[in-house]
Amino acid sequence: DFGTLLAERAAAGPSVILLRRSSDRRATAVARLVLANLPAVEPDLIHGAVVVLDQDRVRVRRLPLR
């Protein structure tokens, strides 16, 4: 689990996008989900973050995780 590795090392990067609970795992559906949310999370990804995307919500935790 990339989030766990980043937390254990108190790492400031790299950023990670995790996809959760997606009922539609086709590449086109995943790409739509990521692209639809990318503008909102881009600043967090640039500075270092774990971003969790699912169909209903977006969660962002800035790095390093504490």
Side-chain angles (χ1 to χ4, degrees), residues 32-62:
R32 270 195 303 271
L33 178 65
V34 172
L35 292 174
N37 290 286
L38 194 56
V41 299
E42 184 177 13
D44 298 303
L45 292 171
I46 289 169
H47 292 329
V50 175
V51 174
V52 181
L53 299 177
D54 64 32
Q55 296 302 105
D56 302 324
R57 66 181 178 161
V58 176
R59 290 176 286 159
V60 177
R61 299 224 18 226
R62 284 284 186 105

